[in-house]
Amino acid sequence: MTTQPAGSEATQTAQAVQAADKPQESELSGEQLEQMAEQMDSFIGTFNRGLKFRVDEDSGRNVVTVVDNHSGDIIRQIPTEELLQVISRLAEASGGLIDTKA
């Protein structure tokens, strides 16, 4: 007969299920998102200076930019500047009727 230690797989699974059942915390504020983006940028920068993280001021969306290390040129941005502008225009035109942050 074998006994499982207190930190067994079954115990860990039960704890994970309980954590998933807990209500989610409210959304992060703009300041918290900006701080997290800076922290991610700093952390990733230690591995690969080619990635930049920021929060777009107008839409509140997270933006990831891939930058050439040598020239500083932007290789790719997700979402693109064009899409961010469209989202901003939709928000202005709808007067808040369309949720552009979803």
Side-chain angles (χ1 to χ4, degrees), residues 41 49-54 63-67 73-79 81:
D41 188 33
R49 291 265 177 221
L51 292 177
K52 300 290 180 185
F53 296 90
R54 69 179 174 90
V63 178
V64 179
T65 308
V66 181
V67 181
D73 293 339
I74 294 176
I75 298 170
R76 174 139 182 163
Q77 177 177 306
I78 304 167
E81 281 297 325

Side-chain angles (χ1 to χ4, degrees), residues 17-26:
V17 169
Q18 288 174 353
D21 288 340
K22 290 182 182 177
Q24 298 294 321
E25 293 185 21
S26 63

Side-chain angles (χ1 to χ4, degrees), residues 9-76:
E9 186 176 332
T11 303
Q12 292 172 353
T13 302
Q15 290 172 347
V17 169
Q18 288 174 353
D21 288 340
K22 290 182 182 177
Q24 298 294 321
E25 293 185 21
S26 63
E27 290 186 22
L28 297 174
S29 71
E31 184 178 313
Q32 290 171 321
L33 283 173
E34 197 168 318
Q35 183 180 13
M36 286 179 62
E38 288 174 11
Q39 289 174 348
M40 288 177 63
D41 188 33
S42 173
F43 176 71
I44 296 298
T46 61
F47 299 109
N48 182 359
R49 291 265 177 221
L51 292 177
K52 300 290 180 185
F53 296 90
R54 69 179 174 90
V55 177
D56 182 60
E57 292 179 14
D58 294 332
S59 68
R61 292 192 177 254
N62 298 321
V63 178
V64 179
T65 308
V66 181
V67 181
D68 183 286
N69 288 334
H70 301 291
S71 67
D73 293 339
I74 294 176
I75 298 170
R76 174 139 182 163

Side-chain angles (χ1 to χ4, degrees), residues 76-90:
R76 174 139 182 163
Q77 177 177 306
I78 304 167
T80 64
E81 281 297 325
E82 293 83 9
L83 182 58
L84 292 172
Q85 290 173 358
V86 168
I87 291 169
S88 178
R89 288 185 196 141
L90 280 173

